[in-house]
Each structure stands twice: as structure tokens, then as C-alpha cells.
């Protein structure tokens, strides 16, 4: 069965420090991978998505970057965190087969607090 | 720009009643519309997907309608239970990107 792992669950980082969040998927090949951020009481904002190794699309200009070094690994990074980077970060995967999609599967999320 | 609107006010209903949540969108022609459930501190969980050429989709106590003329989807939970209390998110997709509404919180009282 397909599973998605995301860690850490919570993170407190000082302003100006670097960030690395990792997401891995098991049980599927060539998934589309996504990073979303959810601010407190708000909806999900799409940050990055990837349709293959090394292929990253950025949705919102910001202080963050993403990489996909392996088919089932997606990494969210920052060189210097800002207070506004605080939020709930979610990784997700989906598969498009024959032009059809069957829903997204989300990880359990990382609660990032920048202090 | 694309906009998805869900009622930001919480919906409070009595157990056993039918809950109806609304999702409206503008400046978009989605191929798919999806509904997710999100509990506090957790990632969203996929519930139902409906395609642009489908009018209605059912799954157990859940029913989704999709009106591409009105640019609206309705999400129904029949015989609601306190365990159905959560935030429900509407999401639209076309070419692989899923765009979410802000969600509506449902509270089912016993």
C-alpha cells in the first residue's frame, strides 16, 4: 500500500536559521509531489509541485525552495527563515493515470514556528 | 485570478440531520472537483472526487454535486454524527495542481 512520510512533526527555529523538511513516498512510482503551507485558520497554499526528478514548479515567490533528488523524495528548504515562514507544512502525492486523477494523499504535516 | 469560496462561518447542526456545505468558484474551469476532511493538527484526507462531466457522486453517507454552469459544488452528509465534526475543504484541479478553498468547519451536536 502507498504511504507518505513527513518529518519532523514539530519544529521551532530562530529567525535567520536554515530549514530542511523531508517527505518520502512508498508504494508508488513517478508520483506528482506537492508542498503546501497552511497558516493558522487559513486554507492550504500551494508552494511547489513536481512531476518528476529534478522538475520543480514554484507557485509563490518566497523565501523557500524545493528539490526532488529521487523519484519518491521531496525536500523543502530555506537558507534563512523569516517570521512569516511559520505555519503548517504539508507534503502530498498524487498519480495521474490515463489523464485521470484519484485524489491526493497528504502527510501528517510539520508545524513550523519561527521565533 | 482563480477564486474558491467556502462559507467561513462554522455550520452547526443536530445529530441525524443532513449537513450541506457549499463551494463556489470563479475564473476557473476545473476538470475535477474534490472534497477533503481535515481534523485539527492533521493533514487533509481525501473524500470524494467528481469530474466536470458528472453531476453527482455518492459514497456511503456522502453526496457531492457539481454544477459547472453555476460554478458550484454542494457537499452533503446525511444522518450526520458527532464524529463528522471537522473542517471540510473543497479543491479544484485541472492539470495536476490542486487549489483549495479555505474550508468550512462543521460541528454536529449530539
Amino acid at each position: 500500500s502507498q504511504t507518505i512520510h513527513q518529518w519532523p512533526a514539530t519544529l521551532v527555529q530562530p529567525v535567520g536559521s536554515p530549514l530542511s523538511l523531508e517527505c518520502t513516498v512508498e508504494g508508488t512510482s513517478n508520483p506528482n509531489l506537492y508542498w503546501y503551507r497552511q497558516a493558522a485558520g487559513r486554507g492550504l497554499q500551494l508552494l511547489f509541485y513536481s512531476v518528476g526528478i529534478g522538475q520543480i514548479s514554484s507557485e509563490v515567490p518566497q523565501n523557500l525552495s524545493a528539490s526532488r533528488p529521487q523519484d519518491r523524495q521531496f525536500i523543502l528548504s530555506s537558507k534563512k527563515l523569516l517570521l512569516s515562514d511559520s505555519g503548517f507544512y504539508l507534503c502530498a502525492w498524487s498519480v495521474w493515470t490515463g489523464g485521470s486523477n484519484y485524489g491526493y494523499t497528504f502527510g501528517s504535516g510539520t508545524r513550523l514556528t519561527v521565533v | 485570478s482563480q477564486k474558491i469560496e467556502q462559507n467561513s462561518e462554522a455550520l452547526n447542526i443536530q445529530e441525524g440531520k443532513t449537513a450541506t456545505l457549499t463551494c463556489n468558484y470563479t475564473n476557473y474551469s476545473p476538470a475535477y472537483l474534490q472534497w477533503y476532511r481535515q481534523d485539527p493538527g492533521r493533514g487533509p484526507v481525501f473524500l470524494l472526487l467528481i469530474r466536470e462531466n458528472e453531476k453527482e457522486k455518492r459514497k456511503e453517507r456522502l453526496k457531492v454535486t457539481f454544477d459547472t454552469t453555476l460554478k458550484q459544488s454542494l457537499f452533503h452528509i446525511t444522518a450526520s454524527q458527532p464524529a463528522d465534526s471537522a473542517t471540510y475543504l473543497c479543491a479544484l484541479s485541472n492539470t495536476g495542481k490542486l487549489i483549495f478553498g479555505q474550508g468550512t468547519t462543521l460541528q454536529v451536536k449530539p
Side-chain angles (χ1 to χ4, degrees), chain B residues 55-102:
Chain B
K55 297 293 185 184
E56 183 179 298
K57 184 73 71 75
R58 293 175 184 261
K59 179 182 177 182
E60 298 174 351
R61 295 185 295 113
L62 309 180
K63 185 178 84 171
V64 171
T65 63
F66 191 12
D67 189 325
T68 56
T69 300
L70 292 179
K71 295 186 180 295
Q72 181 183 79
S73 174
L74 299 178
F75 177 77
H76 306 272
I77 305 175
T78 58
S80 59
Q81 306 166 359
D84 295 326
S85 299
T87 296
Y88 291 86
L89 304 169
C90 167
L92 307 177
S93 64
N94 228 341
T95 56
K97 296 187 301 182
L98 195 61
I99 301 171
F100 282 84
Q102 291 189 317

Side-chain angles (χ1 to χ4, degrees), chain A residues 34 36 38 99-101 104, chain B residues 32 34 36 38 49 96-98:
Chain A
Y34 308 86
Y36 285 85
Q38 188 173 34
S100 294
N101 177 250
Y104 285 36
Chain B
Y32 302 90
Q34 306 182 23
Y36 289 77
Q38 186 175 25
L49 177 152
K97 296 187 301 182
L98 195 61

Side-chain angles (χ1 to χ4, degrees), chain A residues 81-92:
Chain A
L81 284 169
L82 307 172
L83 287 174
S84 58
D85 291 324
S86 294
F88 190 43
Y89 288 82
L90 290 156
C91 178

Side-chain angles (χ1 to χ4, degrees), chain B residues 11-58:
Chain B
L11 177 63
N12 296 294
I13 63 169
Q14 206 65 35
E15 182 177 8
K17 301 293 185 183
T18 296
T20 299
L21 285 69
T22 304
C23 174
N24 295 295
Y25 59 93
T26 57
N27 298 324
Y28 202 53
S29 296
Y32 302 90
L33 189 145
Q34 306 182 23
W35 283 89
Y36 289 77
R37 169 183 172 141
Q38 186 175 25
D39 292 287
R42 309 289 295 273
V45 175
F46 171 72
L47 296 176
L48 280 170
L49 177 152
I50 187 166
R51 294 173 174 79
E52 60 179 339
N53 60 350
E54 298 176 318
K55 297 293 185 184
E56 183 179 298
K57 184 73 71 75
R58 293 175 184 261

Side-chain angles (χ1 to χ4, degrees), chain A residues 2-13:
Chain A
Q2 301 96 345
T3 56
I4 180 168
H5 302 280
Q6 190 180 343
W7 66 91
T10 59
L11 193 58
V12 180
Q13 292 284 98

